[in-house]
Amino acid sequence: EPHKSAGRSLKDMAYSRKTRSRSEARREAMTRVVENMTPKVLVVDEIGTQGEASAARTIGERGVQLVATAHGHNIFDLLANTELRDLVGGLVSSTLGDDNPRYKETGRKNVTERSARPVFSTLVELRTPFSVAVHLNVAESIDSALLGTPMLVQ
């Protein structure tokens, strides 16, 4: 039963007798909810695998607002986690040509870039029990992190 403050919400358990793993059951539940219940908002606790991250991307592409948690100390932990980095746009290595302005500026031919738009537009880091950092534009924060420039957070 959802908390009274959640109003007319539904709770769907991530369980299936046919499914082999908890992660697969969670991925299937996320997809099932979007396909059968047409929610406006979906809340997911602890996205932790590549399958769940992929399901989150699919949900976002279908226009459902997604609120989710994923474990990590900061945005760099999501970039370092190969299973979860799709949540922040994924990574791709590119080779720059000699005439590319970025090559001329940095002197680096091989760069790592974001490969897609992030699943979430906003990201909240819980830095301490009493402070948070809010990335209002996840795409800009990821691009800044990859360039090694300061990120704008609130």
Side-chain angles (χ1 to χ4, degrees):
E1 184 72 22
H3 191 274
K4 290 178 185 178
S5 66
R8 296 181 355 191
S9 62
L10 299 172
K11 181 177 182 179
D12 188 60
M13 297 301 292
Y15 170 77
S16 172
R17 290 183 188 151
K18 300 175 191 174
T19 306
R20 285 178 247 155
S21 71
R22 177 179 173 267
S23 172
E24 185 67 15
R26 288 172 51 87
R27 185 197 61 75
E28 287 177 2
M30 290 166 66
T31 306
R32 180 179 63 244
V33 165
V34 171
E35 290 174 350
N36 297 327
M37 298 179 186
T38 60
K40 293 180 182 175
V41 178
L42 181 64
V43 179
V44 179
D45 183 30
E46 195 176 338
I47 294 175
T49 67
Q50 191 170 7
E52 293 166 7
S54 178
R57 175 163 294 287
T58 300
I59 289 164
E61 289 170 351
R62 292 183 182 188
V64 176
Q65 183 177 357
L66 184 63
V67 177
T69 61
H71 283 270
H73 292 98
N74 53 45
I75 202 166
F76 296 103
D77 287 355
L78 287 177
L79 283 171
N81 186 325
T82 57
E83 294 201 341
L84 299 182
R85 71 171 53 136
D86 188 44
L87 295 173
V88 292
L91 299 177
V92 64
S93 293
S94 300
T95 303
L96 304 176
D98 293 337
D99 294 335
N100 189 299
R102 288 191 302 164
Y103 169 65
K104 291 178 181 178
E105 183 180 310
T106 64
R108 293 178 44 205
K109 279 198 154 286
N110 295 317
V111 295
T112 302
E113 301 175 307
R114 185 171 43 86
S115 60
R117 70 173 180 77
V119 172
F120 303 96
S121 58
T122 305
L123 183 141
V124 179
E125 292 179 21
L126 304 177
R127 294 206 167 158
T128 73
F130 306 104
S131 70
V132 297
V134 181
H135 299 265
L136 294 175
N137 187 325
V138 175
E140 284 183 10
S141 289
I142 295 301
D143 293 344
S144 293
L146 294 172
L147 290 171
T149 59
M151 290 179 269
L152 180 63
V153 297
Q154 288 190 350

